[in-house]
Amino acid sequence: MSDEQTDTGTGWPQPAGPARPGGPAGEPDPRPDAPDPDELSPLAPQGPVEREPVDEPAVEDEPAVEPVDDGATVDLSAVPRSGETVAGSDGLGEPVGESAAPAAGRSRWSTAGVMIAALLALLGFTLVVQLKTTSTDPTLGATRQEDLVRILSDLDARENRLQQDIRTLEDSQRQLQSGEQGRQAALDEATRRADELGILAGTLPAVGPGLTVRFDAGAKPISANRVLDAVQELRGAGAEAMQISGGDGASVRIIASTYFLDGDNGSLVVEGRRLTAPFTITVIGDPATMRTALNIPGGVVASVRGVGGNVTFGEREVAEVSALHVPIKLEHARPVS
């Protein structure tokens, strides 16, 4: 082997040439202008190397925050960044930035939910109270349909009577306010009222269609209770004036304060005056209505006949009630001013 070849250990001779500058093989060249050993390598690519572009995530520009010059110095290093935790008053870390916003939102929604629930509860309570207040009367709910119709009819009739009274009073008022005609109307109205009150009080005689009712005793005398029942039935049937006469011809005017007592030997004491049997009541009113009232089953006629007595009727086109009652002097009652 010649001096120009060197054994490389591979079995192939390596041509002799100028030795690579530097030290021993494998050590870098200490010269400052020495080329890179990789560039001298036959395996290194020659020329600039092009690299494939790599997609990197786009970073959005954060909005610039303009500093506020309020004369105070702010230590930016002490401001917590997004994602960091800050120790709270209880020693636990609290999120800062994006994590704090959802917590505040949940707090606001929780408060709003509590307020809505409270308003709904108040509304429900109000509805329950109103339903209880306007609930149907249990008495009317258990009433039959026929009874409800009768109640409604009575209310309608009462309303009609009240409306008629209102119209009558309004007509009287217009007449009283119309000058000379009003004065005459007022005088006529006062006279009419005085006559009505005189008849009711028994201080004036009265005439009109009516009825005579005679009580004849049987085995037992006619009691004061039987006569009083007859007077009450006649008043309920629309009697406007009454008087009672005895067998001796004495008569007593019957008014609201008249009382009846049992006397001796079948007699009757009326207003302190003694009357002998038989007794006759003269009454002014509708004859048919008053007769029907006395003849109802179990009424006055039936009770008198039950003890052996008898009751007879006599209709009069003109019945006269001439007995008078002494005017009553009131000691306690006064008209309402």
Side-chain angles (χ1 to χ4, degrees):
M1 186 178 294
S2 63
D3 296 335
E4 295 178 358
Q5 295 178 351
T6 304
D7 188 5
T8 61
T10 60
W12 294 91
Q14 182 177 358
R20 181 176 296 180
E27 295 183 359
D29 190 351
R31 293 177 302 174
D33 55 349
D36 190 356
D38 295 336
E39 295 178 357
L40 298 178
S41 174
L43 299 178
Q46 303 297 322
V49 178
E50 297 181 359
R51 299 181 178 180
E52 296 182 0
V54 179
D55 294 336
E56 297 181 356
V59 179
E60 297 182 359
D61 295 336
E62 297 182 358
V65 179
E66 297 181 3
V68 179
D69 186 7
D70 56 354
T73 302
V74 179
D75 187 3
L76 297 179
S77 62
V79 177
R81 294 182 176 83
S82 176
E84 296 181 351
T85 59
V86 179
S89 61
D90 54 356
L92 300 177
E94 297 179 357
V96 179
E98 294 84 359
S99 60
R106 287 194 299 270
S107 177
R108 289 196 301 271
W109 282 113
S110 299
T111 305
V114 171
M115 294 180 62
I116 293 174
L119 291 176
L120 290 177
L122 180 60
L123 178 60
F125 176 76
T126 305
L127 291 176
V128 171
V129 172
Q130 184 176 3
L131 288 176
K132 288 184 177 180
T133 303
T134 59
S135 61
T136 306
D137 187 357
T139 304
L140 294 178
T143 306
R144 296 180 304 173
Q145 184 176 1
E146 294 80 2
D147 296 336
L148 293 176
V149 172
R150 180 179 56 81
I151 293 173
L152 181 60
S153 178
D154 293 342
L155 292 176
D156 291 339
R158 184 179 300 177
E159 181 183 2
N160 293 334
R161 289 195 300 269
L162 292 176
Q163 292 293 341
Q164 181 65 32
D165 294 341
I166 291 174
R167 287 191 293 269
T168 302
L169 293 175
E170 288 177 350
D171 292 341
S172 300
Q173 182 181 11
R174 285 191 295 269
Q175 293 176 2
L176 294 175
Q177 294 176 352
S178 60
E180 182 65 27
Q181 184 180 0
R183 288 193 292 272
Q184 184 61 38
L187 180 59
D188 295 341
E189 180 69 16
T191 303
R192 184 182 66 83
R193 295 287 295 178
D195 292 341
E196 291 180 355
L197 294 176
I199 293 174
L200 294 176
T203 58
L204 294 178
V207 293
L211 193 69
T212 59
V213 183
R214 177 169 174 165
F215 296 88
D216 294 311
K220 294 182 180 180
I222 303 297
S223 65
N225 290 333
R226 300 288 188 270
V227 177
L228 179 60
D229 291 340
V231 170
Q232 296 292 353
E233 290 289 350
L234 292 171
R235 284 175 177 169
E240 297 176 354
M242 286 184 286
Q243 71 180 23
I244 185 171
S245 304
D248 54 1
S251 300
V252 178
R253 186 69 171 266
I254 300 175
I255 60 174
S257 61
T258 301
Y259 63 90
F260 301 87
L261 297 175
D262 293 325
D264 299 334
N265 300 324
S267 64
L268 192 66
V269 178
V270 182
E271 289 287 336
R273 187 168 183 177
R274 183 175 178 271
L275 302 178
T276 60
F279 311 112
T280 302
I281 298 177
T282 304
V283 55
I284 296 176
D286 182 22
T289 303
M290 294 185 293
R291 180 193 288 267
T292 303
L294 295 178
N295 280 299
I296 60 175
V300 175
V301 175
S303 62
V304 171
R305 290 176 179 175
V307 295
N310 190 24
V311 179
T312 57
F313 300 93
E315 293 188 7
R316 299 288 187 272
E317 292 183 0
V318 179
E320 182 177 356
V321 177
S322 57
L324 300 180
H325 193 282
V326 178
I328 299 176
K329 183 178 181 181
L330 301 178
E331 297 181 359
H332 306 285
R334 296 289 184 274
V336 178
S337 59

PDB file of all heavy atoms in Angstrom, residues 154-168:
ATOM      1  N   ASP A 154    -140.486  36.932  45.347  1.00  0.00           N
ATOM      2  CA  ASP A 154    -140.767  37.854  46.455  1.00  0.00           C
ATOM      3  C   ASP A 154    -139.886  39.095  46.379  1.00  0.00           C
ATOM      4  O   ASP A 154    -140.349  40.220  46.636  1.00  0.00           O
ATOM      5  CB  ASP A 154    -140.547  37.132  47.787  1.00  0.00           C
ATOM      6  CG  ASP A 154    -141.565  36.019  48.010  1.00  0.00           C
ATOM      7  OD1 ASP A 154    -142.605  36.038  47.333  1.00  0.00           O
ATOM      8  OD2 ASP A 154    -141.296  35.134  48.850  1.00  0.00           O
ATOM      9  N   LEU A 155    -138.620  38.895  46.030  1.00  0.00           N
ATOM     10  CA  LEU A 155    -137.726  40.048  45.916  1.00  0.00           C
ATOM     11  C   LEU A 155    -138.162  40.977  44.794  1.00  0.00           C
ATOM     12  O   LEU A 155    -138.116  42.209  44.937  1.00  0.00           O
ATOM     13  CB  LEU A 155    -136.287  39.572  45.688  1.00  0.00           C
ATOM     14  CG  LEU A 155    -135.625  38.839  46.870  1.00  0.00           C
ATOM     15  CD1 LEU A 155    -134.242  38.348  46.471  1.00  0.00           C
ATOM     16  CD2 LEU A 155    -135.520  39.760  48.079  1.00  0.00           C
ATOM     17  N   ASP A 156    -138.603  40.395  43.668  1.00  0.00           N
ATOM     18  CA  ASP A 156    -139.083  41.231  42.561  1.00  0.00           C
ATOM     19  C   ASP A 156    -140.336  42.008  42.963  1.00  0.00           C
ATOM     20  O   ASP A 156    -140.476  43.199  42.640  1.00  0.00           O
ATOM     21  CB  ASP A 156    -139.374  40.355  41.340  1.00  0.00           C
ATOM     22  CG  ASP A 156    -138.096  39.775  40.738  1.00  0.00           C
ATOM     23  OD1 ASP A 156    -137.022  40.343  40.999  1.00  0.00           O
ATOM     24  OD2 ASP A 156    -138.189  38.761  40.021  1.00  0.00           O
ATOM     25  N   ALA A 157    -141.249  41.334  43.664  1.00  0.00           N
ATOM     26  CA  ALA A 157    -142.475  42.029  44.097  1.00  0.00           C
ATOM     27  C   ALA A 157    -142.143  43.156  45.075  1.00  0.00           C
ATOM     28  O   ALA A 157    -142.715  44.254  45.001  1.00  0.00           O
ATOM     29  CB  ALA A 157    -143.442  41.028  44.738  1.00  0.00           C
ATOM     30  N   ARG A 158    -141.222  42.899  45.994  1.00  0.00           N
ATOM     31  CA  ARG A 158    -140.825  43.942  46.929  1.00  0.00           C
ATOM     32  C   ARG A 158    -140.182  45.113  46.204  1.00  0.00           C
ATOM     33  O   ARG A 158    -140.428  46.284  46.534  1.00  0.00           O
ATOM     34  CB  ARG A 158    -139.854  43.363  47.955  1.00  0.00           C
ATOM     35  CG  ARG A 158    -139.444  44.363  49.039  1.00  0.00           C
ATOM     36  CD  ARG A 158    -138.490  43.712  50.027  1.00  0.00           C
ATOM     37  NE  ARG A 158    -139.123  42.562  50.678  1.00  0.00           N
ATOM     38  CZ  ARG A 158    -138.474  41.775  51.542  1.00  0.00           C
ATOM     39  NH1 ARG A 158    -137.203  42.012  51.835  1.00  0.00           N
ATOM     40  NH2 ARG A 158    -139.112  40.767  52.108  1.00  0.00           N
ATOM     41  N   GLU A 159    -139.357  44.799  45.210  1.00  0.00           N
ATOM     42  CA  GLU A 159    -138.729  45.885  44.445  1.00  0.00           C
ATOM     43  C   GLU A 159    -139.775  46.719  43.719  1.00  0.00           C
ATOM     44  O   GLU A 159    -139.690  47.959  43.675  1.00  0.00           O
ATOM     45  CB  GLU A 159    -137.738  45.290  43.442  1.00  0.00           C
ATOM     46  CG  GLU A 159    -137.013  46.345  42.608  1.00  0.00           C
ATOM     47  CD  GLU A 159    -136.091  45.731  41.586  1.00  0.00           C
ATOM     48  OE1 GLU A 159    -136.054  44.483  41.498  1.00  0.00           O
ATOM     49  OE2 GLU A 159    -135.413  46.486  40.876  1.00  0.00           O
ATOM     50  N   ASN A 160    -140.784  46.056  43.151  1.00  0.00           N
ATOM     51  CA  ASN A 160    -141.842  46.797  42.451  1.00  0.00           C
ATOM     52  C   ASN A 160    -142.611  47.704  43.414  1.00  0.00           C
ATOM     53  O   ASN A 160    -142.935  48.853  43.072  1.00  0.00           O
ATOM     54  CB  ASN A 160    -142.803  45.810  41.772  1.00  0.00           C
ATOM     55  CG  ASN A 160    -142.132  45.050  40.643  1.00  0.00           C
ATOM     56  OD1 ASN A 160    -141.178  45.535  40.043  1.00  0.00           O
ATOM     57  ND2 ASN A 160    -142.628  43.849  40.357  1.00  0.00           N
ATOM     58  N   ARG A 161    -142.909  47.193  44.625  1.00  0.00           N
ATOM     59  CA  ARG A 161    -143.616  48.038  45.593  1.00  0.00           C
ATOM     60  C   ARG A 161    -142.768  49.245  46.001  1.00  0.00           C
ATOM     61  O   ARG A 161    -143.288  50.370  46.121  1.00  0.00           O
ATOM     62  CB  ARG A 161    -143.978  47.205  46.823  1.00  0.00           C
ATOM     63  CG  ARG A 161    -145.080  46.194  46.578  1.00  0.00           C
ATOM     64  CD  ARG A 161    -145.632  45.662  47.895  1.00  0.00           C
ATOM     65  NE  ARG A 161    -144.602  44.996  48.688  1.00  0.00           N
ATOM     66  CZ  ARG A 161    -144.335  43.691  48.611  1.00  0.00           C
ATOM     67  NH1 ARG A 161    -145.006  42.916  47.761  1.00  0.00           N
ATOM     68  NH2 ARG A 161    -143.413  43.146  49.389  1.00  0.00           N
ATOM     69  N   LEU A 162    -141.482  49.009  46.208  1.00  0.00           N
ATOM     70  CA  LEU A 162    -140.619  50.125  46.585  1.00  0.00           C
ATOM     71  C   LEU A 162    -140.504  51.148  45.451  1.00  0.00           C
ATOM     72  O   LEU A 162    -140.494  52.363  45.701  1.00  0.00           O
ATOM     73  CB  LEU A 162    -139.234  49.598  46.963  1.00  0.00           C
ATOM     74  CG  LEU A 162    -139.173  48.758  48.252  1.00  0.00           C
ATOM     75  CD1 LEU A 162    -137.768  48.211  48.466  1.00  0.00           C
ATOM     76  CD2 LEU A 162    -139.604  49.589  49.455  1.00  0.00           C
ATOM     77  N   GLN A 163    -140.437  50.664  44.212  1.00  0.00           N
ATOM     78  CA  GLN A 163    -140.379  51.591  43.089  1.00  0.00           C
ATOM     79  C   GLN A 163    -141.666  52.413  42.996  1.00  0.00           C
ATOM     80  O   GLN A 163    -141.636  53.616  42.706  1.00  0.00           O
ATOM     81  CB  GLN A 163    -140.142  50.810  41.784  1.00  0.00           C
ATOM     82  CG  GLN A 163    -138.756  50.160  41.674  1.00  0.00           C
ATOM     83  CD  GLN A 163    -137.639  51.179  41.563  1.00  0.00           C
ATOM     84  OE1 GLN A 163    -137.868  52.350  41.221  1.00  0.00           O
ATOM     85  NE2 GLN A 163    -136.429  50.747  41.865  1.00  0.00           N
ATOM     86  N   GLN A 164    -142.806  51.773  43.260  1.00  0.00           N
ATOM     87  CA  GLN A 164    -144.073  52.502  43.246  1.00  0.00           C
ATOM     88  C   GLN A 164    -144.115  53.552  44.351  1.00  0.00           C
ATOM     89  O   GLN A 164    -144.579  54.685  44.141  1.00  0.00           O
ATOM     90  CB  GLN A 164    -145.235  51.514  43.396  1.00  0.00           C
ATOM     91  CG  GLN A 164    -146.611  52.166  43.368  1.00  0.00           C
ATOM     92  CD  GLN A 164    -146.906  52.805  42.026  1.00  0.00           C
ATOM     93  OE1 GLN A 164    -146.449  52.329  40.993  1.00  0.00           O
ATOM     94  NE2 GLN A 164    -147.665  53.897  42.045  1.00  0.00           N
ATOM     95  N   ASP A 165    -143.634  53.205  45.531  1.00  0.00           N
ATOM     96  CA  ASP A 165    -143.584  54.179  46.622  1.00  0.00           C
ATOM     97  C   ASP A 165    -142.683  55.352  46.277  1.00  0.00           C
ATOM     98  O   ASP A 165    -143.002  56.515  46.587  1.00  0.00           O
ATOM     99  CB  ASP A 165    -143.097  53.502  47.900  1.00  0.00           C
ATOM    100  CG  ASP A 165    -144.082  52.469  48.423  1.00  0.00           C
ATOM    101  OD1 ASP A 165    -145.255  52.538  48.020  1.00  0.00           O
ATOM    102  OD2 ASP A 165    -143.671  51.597  49.217  1.00  0.00           O
ATOM    103  N   ILE A 166    -141.579  55.056  45.638  1.00  0.00           N
ATOM    104  CA  ILE A 166    -140.662  56.136  45.246  1.00  0.00           C
ATOM    105  C   ILE A 166    -141.337  57.076  44.258  1.00  0.00           C
ATOM    106  O   ILE A 166    -141.244  58.313  44.370  1.00  0.00           O
ATOM    107  CB  ILE A 166    -139.371  55.538  44.654  1.00  0.00           C
ATOM    108  CG1 ILE A 166    -138.565  54.832  45.750  1.00  0.00           C
ATOM    109  CG2 ILE A 166    -138.531  56.620  43.986  1.00  0.00           C
ATOM    110  CD1 ILE A 166    -137.351  54.095  45.236  1.00  0.00           C
ATOM    111  N   ARG A 167    -142.038  56.505  43.259  1.00  0.00           N
ATOM    112  CA  ARG A 167    -142.718  57.362  42.284  1.00  0.00           C
ATOM    113  C   ARG A 167    -143.808  58.202  42.949  1.00  0.00           C
ATOM    114  O   ARG A 167    -143.986  59.388  42.624  1.00  0.00           O
ATOM    115  CB  ARG A 167    -143.313  56.489  41.172  1.00  0.00           C
ATOM    116  CG  ARG A 167    -142.270  55.924  40.231  1.00  0.00           C
ATOM    117  CD  ARG A 167    -142.936  55.305  39.010  1.00  0.00           C
ATOM    118  NE  ARG A 167    -143.702  54.110  39.364  1.00  0.00           N
ATOM    119  CZ  ARG A 167    -143.195  52.870  39.345  1.00  0.00           C
ATOM    120  NH1 ARG A 167    -141.922  52.679  39.016  1.00  0.00           N
ATOM    121  NH2 ARG A 167    -143.946  51.836  39.652  1.00  0.00           N
ATOM    122  N   THR A 168    -144.531  57.605  43.889  1.00  0.00           N
ATOM    123  CA  THR A 168    -145.579  58.371  44.583  1.00  0.00           C
ATOM    124  C   THR A 168    -144.988  59.526  45.388  1.00  0.00           C
ATOM    125  O   THR A 168    -145.500  60.663  45.361  1.00  0.00           O
ATOM    126  CB  THR A 168    -146.369  57.435  45.511  1.00  0.00           C
ATOM    127  OG1 THR A 168    -146.927  56.365  44.743  1.00  0.00           O
ATOM    128  CG2 THR A 168    -147.480  58.187  46.217  1.00  0.00           C
TER     129      THR A 168
END
